[in-house]
Amino acid sequence: MTAWRWYAGLGLGAVILGGFLPVIPRQILYSLVGASTVVAVSVGVRRHRPADRRTWWLFGAGLTCSVLGAGAWAVEYTLTGAVGFPSVKDALFLAAYPFFGGGLISWVRRDPRRPRWERLIDSGIVASGVAALSWTFIVYPMLSSDRFDAPHKTSHLMYAAIDLLLVVVATRMAFTSSVRNTAYRLICVAAATLITGDIVYYVSLAWTGDPRGDSVSPSMYLFAYALLGTGALHPTMAEAAGRLERAQQVIPRHRIYLYSVLSLIGPVTAITMLLVTAPLPSRSWAVVPLATSIVTSVLLIARLSQLVQFANRRVEELDAHALALGVALREQEALRQQLTHRALHDALTGLGNRALLQERLEHALTRTNAAHGLLLLDLDGFKDVNDSFGHPVGDALLMEVAARLLGEVDTADTLVRLGGDEFAILLEDVPVLRVNAVGQAVVDALALPYQIGGRELSVTTSVGTLLVHAPTTPAEALRNADLALYAAKAAGKNRLAAYEPRLASERHEHMRLASDLRRAVANDEFTVNYQPVVDLSTGRVTAVEALLRWSPDGRPVPPLEFIPIAEQYGLIVPIGAWVLQQACRDVRSWHDRFGISVTVNVSGRQLREPDFAQTVLSALRGADLPGSALILEITETVLVSSSTENDEVTVLLSALREEGVRVAVDDFGTGYSSLAYLRHLPVDILKIDRAFTPEGGMAEEMAFTRAIVELGNSLRLSSIAEAVETPEQAERLRELDCPQAQGYHFSRPLPAEDLNEVLNAGNGILHGLPTVAAT
């Protein structure tokens, strides 16, 4: 059992015992219990270390004074048989009250935000009711009695007044304490018991005149001291005292009952004094209870006024909160609408975005019997605008495009920007004729020149159209429209293309080829065939063109099918590096024996690789070939566009030419074909496109071919005619002084082993076979 329980048990025993003891033993027991309470307070403070020790030390000081006063009273009574007045005991008893009151006051710290008078109203109401009782049962009987002289009456009345002050501070402490634990409850009961003991003692003194008191009040004093000591020893005492007061504006129900009883004390006692106890000449003493009832009423009115003010403040606060809440709700709604708009619209153009299109598509596709048009479009050449003039100009162009698109659709249609230069239009419940009409109108409108930042810009657009029916999903609709857009671009751009089911199968085949190509790169599934380049005057093979071949699962795939896919996915870079290495290894023996060079096709993607020159030189060194044994074959369009967009390509090719590597322009005559380009580009060979290889003896055909050959001769460039398939074509090229040619007339592309046999058989010479026909 803990210390506070032991102390509470012993204190209860002392209380029970004190009621049966005579005066002297009772005073001794009183002094012992009081002294033990002082010790309990000291032990409790040291053991539990409360944050506010001042309160407990004030209680301890008051107890000490009270114990010393009781001891002095017992000694004087034992020695003289009477109790004198005034004496030391009176000073000690009187000194105990300020300490007790100070402890009760310091129990709760004042909240500076609250007016001081507010916290005293409740205490005043209680004190007013107690004052009526004190007047009736102590003050009035003592004033009207002849048992006491004036000094004794003054002393006793002063204690009664002090008790009223204790009632005020004890009530404040009880009503406003914010911590209501066990220690708080013990001290509240102790204070109430102590004050009640005083009242009982002075009531007995006023009515009997015996200064030795009664047998009840000592037990109450003992009980109060036991409660105070128990509270000091209880662990909750560490958090009980010294806390900020509690602001309790609303009166609890039990306190309303208390106020009702207190408000009736004054009138009841006044009526009792007037009608029962007081003789007629003394009825004027009933004024005091009536006055206390008036004071109680005034205080109750003040308390009610305080509650009304609090209610008004709460109403004003709630009104302000309601107003602020209304403003906040309106701001929240505006913000929600703004965020919703931002979530569904493009920040640059103000058009809808992909999320809005998704939402509208989902809604449209719920109507199973309706047909809707979906158009996907993007700008042809927009990247060139951004690269040439910067993104601000590109953004201004996009806003102008958005404005033109708005002019081509109705308000019921959905126009969105999907991102970059890609837009979409959703036409709900429309026939296919309107879908095509809107698509063509968009193509025509966007093809007109733009005035942006003082310069004229021109871009076109490609449009993919789709007629959407339920139960198509939005994702499927967007995918099919995108396939149509891809078809429009593949068909030459600046046009419409409608979705057809074959586009999906072609796209599937495209993706399958891309996947197979990745596997082929990882597993080295490619082979290289070689087609000879022949000197037309001697028939000697001067070079061989390396041609990539791929046959997954034994099924040959035409280069025109898989090369563009390899370009699109960047696979052409590792494939091109492998072809360079393989071609250099294969041509090594032919170069040593017959002086044959190898021609390798190079894509624009390879030219843009920063380590392309190193890749070429590594392939030559790996095969122990000189640079003169390698010819890099680049299409005219790629060579001219790469060189004009990036001077680094020209520098790269010039550096390779310094190593002996030659550069050939493939398909010459189909692209830019300008003497100005040829004068500045690092070129050694012109490969005449098959379109200019003369079929017959027409003068026009011969004139074009002759012009190209003479252009090459004038620039000291060698010319090679491609796709020579008949002896007649070879003969006409000789007549035009074209130095070299290649084609089926001389040989088909052959694997390295087969070509090796052909070269050995003819000692490096091929005159062409009249019986060889194109296949």
Side-chain angles (χ1 to χ4, degrees):
M1 185 179 291
T2 54
W4 68 271
R5 289 191 173 92
W6 279 106
Y7 190 85
L10 294 175
L12 181 61
V15 170
I16 296 173
L17 180 63
F20 301 98
L21 295 176
V23 175
I24 298 302
R26 187 173 61 197
Q27 288 296 108
I28 295 174
L29 179 62
Y30 176 87
S31 300
L32 291 175
V33 173
S36 70
T37 304
V38 174
V39 174
V41 169
S42 178
V43 171
V45 170
R46 294 181 180 276
R47 173 177 294 180
H48 302 300
R49 301 184 179 277
D52 182 26
R53 304 184 181 186
R54 177 183 54 177
T55 298
W56 297 101
W57 291 131
L58 287 172
F59 285 157
L63 285 167
T64 301
C65 292
S66 180
V67 168
L68 293 176
W73 190 96
V75 170
E76 183 179 358
Y77 186 82
T78 301
L79 295 176
T80 63
V83 179
F85 177 83
S87 64
V88 175
K89 68 167 185 1
D90 296 296
L92 291 172
F93 279 132
L94 185 62
Y97 287 95
F99 289 117
F100 281 128
L104 294 173
I105 292 174
S106 64
W107 186 274
V108 179
R109 287 192 296 113
R110 173 178 174 269
D111 186 353
R113 295 172 299 179
R114 295 180 60 198
R116 188 183 301 273
W117 59 270
E118 283 188 5
R119 65 183 58 83
L120 297 178
I121 291 179
D122 293 328
S123 301
I125 294 173
V126 175
S128 177
V130 175
L133 294 174
S134 178
W135 170 264
T136 302
F137 297 104
I138 299 175
V139 177
Y140 177 67
M142 194 169 289
L143 289 175
S144 60
S145 174
D146 56 2
R147 299 187 187 95
F148 307 102
D149 56 17
H152 280 86
K153 287 183 179 181
T154 303
S155 173
H156 298 326
L157 293 177
M158 182 179 63
Y159 279 109
I162 291 174
D163 282 334
L164 281 178
L165 294 178
L166 286 180
V167 168
V168 171
V169 296
T171 303
R172 171 185 174 272
M173 173 256 187
F175 286 177
T176 63
S177 178
S178 58
V179 178
R180 305 201 166 196
N181 53 20
T182 301
Y184 156 81
R185 296 184 182 90
L186 290 171
I187 298 305
C188 285
V189 176
T193 305
L194 182 63
I195 294 171
T196 304
D198 266 359
I199 292 174
V200 170
Y201 173 78
Y202 284 109
V203 167
S204 173
L205 179 64
W207 289 85
T208 64
D210 186 358
R212 293 175 298 178
D214 62 294
S215 60
V216 176
S217 58
S219 296
M220 302 190 75
Y221 292 143
L222 291 172
F223 186 54
Y225 291 168
L227 289 173
L228 201 153
T230 303
L233 291 173
H234 198 275
T236 58
M237 64 88 70
E239 300 177 355
R243 302 296 178 178
L244 193 68
E245 65 181 343
R246 181 177 64 170
Q248 188 178 24
Q249 300 288 352
V250 180
I251 301 175
R253 180 175 300 178
H254 64 273
R255 201 180 299 175
I256 295 177
Y257 297 152
L258 174 64
Y259 291 165
S260 300
V261 173
L262 293 173
S263 64
L264 295 174
I265 290 177
V268 169
T269 55
I271 293 172
T272 301
M273 291 178 65
L274 289 172
L275 300 179
V276 181
T277 60
L280 187 61
S282 302
R283 290 181 180 179
S284 59
W285 289 101
V287 173
V288 173
L290 292 175
T292 60
S293 66
I294 294 173
V295 171
T296 302
S297 300
V298 171
L299 291 176
L300 287 173
I301 293 173
R303 192 68 172 97
L304 180 62
S305 174
Q306 180 183 345
L307 293 176
V308 171
Q309 293 176 8
F310 170 72
N312 290 334
R313 285 199 303 270
R314 290 297 297 163
V315 169
E316 293 175 358
E317 290 174 2
L318 291 175
D319 289 342
H321 289 164
L323 181 62
L325 181 60
V327 173
L329 289 175
R330 289 192 293 272
E331 291 177 351
Q332 184 180 22
E333 178 62 20
L335 179 60
R336 186 192 65 80
Q337 294 178 358
Q338 183 180 6
L339 292 176
T340 302
H341 184 273
R342 288 184 180 181
L344 298 177
H345 289 78
D346 174 53
L348 177 64
T349 62
L351 302 179
N353 59 13
R354 186 180 296 272
L356 179 63
L357 179 63
Q358 180 85 9
E359 181 181 290
R360 297 286 174 84
L361 263 176
E362 290 177 354
H363 179 265
L365 291 175
T366 58
R367 301 195 296 275
T368 57
N369 296 324
H372 315 288
L374 179 62
L375 293 82
L376 252 61
L377 57 119
D378 72 4
L379 304 179
D380 307 322
F382 179 73
K383 183 178 182 300
D384 296 335
V385 174
N386 267 344
D387 293 344
S388 301
F389 305 108
H391 288 279
V393 174
D395 290 345
L397 176 61
L398 290 174
M399 288 188 285
E400 179 62 26
V401 167
R404 292 190 186 185
L405 289 174
L406 284 171
E408 302 300 329
V409 298
D410 296 337
T411 55
D413 302 328
T414 301
L415 171 63
V416 303
R417 178 186 175 215
L418 298 178
D421 61 332
E422 191 173 11
F423 297 82
I425 302 173
L426 175 63
L427 311 173
E428 299 188 37
D429 298 327
V430 295
V432 67
L433 291 178
R434 181 162 186 264
V435 176
N436 293 334
V438 172
Q440 190 58 52
V442 166
V443 170
D444 296 339
L446 299 189
L448 298 176
Y450 299 82
Q451 296 295 327
I452 305 294
R455 59 173 60 89
E456 183 176 290
L457 301 177
S458 294
V459 295
T460 59
T461 187
S462 299
V463 181
T465 65
L466 171 70
L467 201 63
V468 190
H469 301 270
T472 304
T473 64
E476 185 178 357
L478 287 170
R479 183 201 65 192
N480 292 341
D482 192 55
L483 290 174
L485 174 60
Y486 185 83
K489 285 190 170 295
K493 304 179 181 180
N494 193 29
R495 67 189 65 217
L496 290 176
Y499 171 75
E500 300 175 16
R502 65 173 180 82
L503 295 177
S505 60
E506 290 175 358
R507 187 63 175 175
H508 178 74
E509 178 65 15
H510 178 93
M511 298 301 295
R512 187 190 65 78
L513 281 176
S515 177
D516 291 345
L517 272 175
R518 290 188 178 91
R519 187 187 67 250
V521 170
N523 298 333
D524 290 336
E525 296 179 3
F526 300 101
T527 58
V528 180
N529 287 356
Y530 298 92
Q531 185 174 43
V533 177
V534 178
D535 187 314
L536 287 173
S537 61
T538 65
R540 181 171 296 280
V541 177
T542 60
V544 290
E545 181 178 0
L547 300 171
L548 183 64
R549 295 294 183 263
W550 179 41
S551 301
D553 302 324
R555 180 185 60 86
V557 180
L560 289 178
E561 289 187 19
F562 73 82
I563 292 295
I565 297 176
E567 287 269 8
Q568 180 180 354
Y569 292 100
L571 298 174
I572 197 65
V573 174
I575 293 174
W578 179 85
V579 171
L580 271 171
Q581 295 172 0
Q582 186 64 41
C584 289
R585 286 195 296 266
D586 289 342
V587 84
R588 166 64 191 278
S589 61
W590 304 333
H591 179 75
D592 292 343
R593 293 162 54 198
F594 308 113
I596 294 175
S597 302
V598 64
T599 300
V600 178
N601 290 278
V602 176
S603 72
R605 183 69 176 267
Q606 288 176 274
L607 288 175
R608 292 191 292 271
E609 290 295 311
D611 61 345
F612 177 70
Q614 184 61 38
T615 300
V616 173
L617 297 178
S618 296
L620 290 170
R621 286 193 293 267
D624 196 19
L625 277 178
S628 59
L630 177 63
I631 301 171
L632 299 180
E633 189 171 314
I634 308 169
T635 62
E636 181 181 5
T637 302
V638 169
L639 181 62
V640 173
S641 61
S642 299
S643 299
T644 54
E645 293 175 4
N646 190 352
D647 290 337
E648 293 181 2
V649 172
T650 302
V651 173
L652 180 149
L653 295 177
S654 298
L656 289 175
R657 291 179 73 208
E658 292 178 0
E659 297 291 334
V661 178
R662 287 171 288 171
V663 177
V665 180
D666 193 18
D667 299 334
F668 184 78
T670 60
Y672 292 86
S673 297
S674 170
L675 178 61
Y677 284 125
L678 293 178
R679 290 176 59 191
H680 298 291
L681 291 176
V683 175
D684 302 284
I685 301 170
L686 299 180
K687 298 196 73 174
I688 304 171
D689 186 78
R690 66 173 57 239
F692 298 101
T693 300
E695 295 282 347
M698 295 179 61
E700 292 83 356
E701 291 181 349
M702 301 291 284
F704 277 116
T705 307
R706 179 181 292 108
I708 294 174
V709 172
E710 291 178 354
L711 175 62
N713 291 336
S714 66
L715 294 175
R716 299 179 181 179
L717 302 177
S718 179
S719 299
I720 301 174
E722 297 182 296
V724 179
E725 299 179 353
T726 66
E728 292 78 14
Q729 288 178 319
E731 183 59 32
R732 290 189 182 95
L733 288 169
R734 291 189 188 95
E735 294 174 1
L736 294 174
D737 293 329
C738 182
Q740 300 175 83
Q742 70 181 92
Y744 283 4
H745 171 64
F746 304 102
S747 174
R748 293 184 178 88
L750 298 172
E753 297 81 1
D754 296 344
L755 180 60
N756 191 55
E757 294 179 3
V758 172
L759 292 175
N760 289 334
N763 196 24
I765 297 175
L766 292 175
H767 290 289
L769 300 176
T771 58
V772 174
T775 60

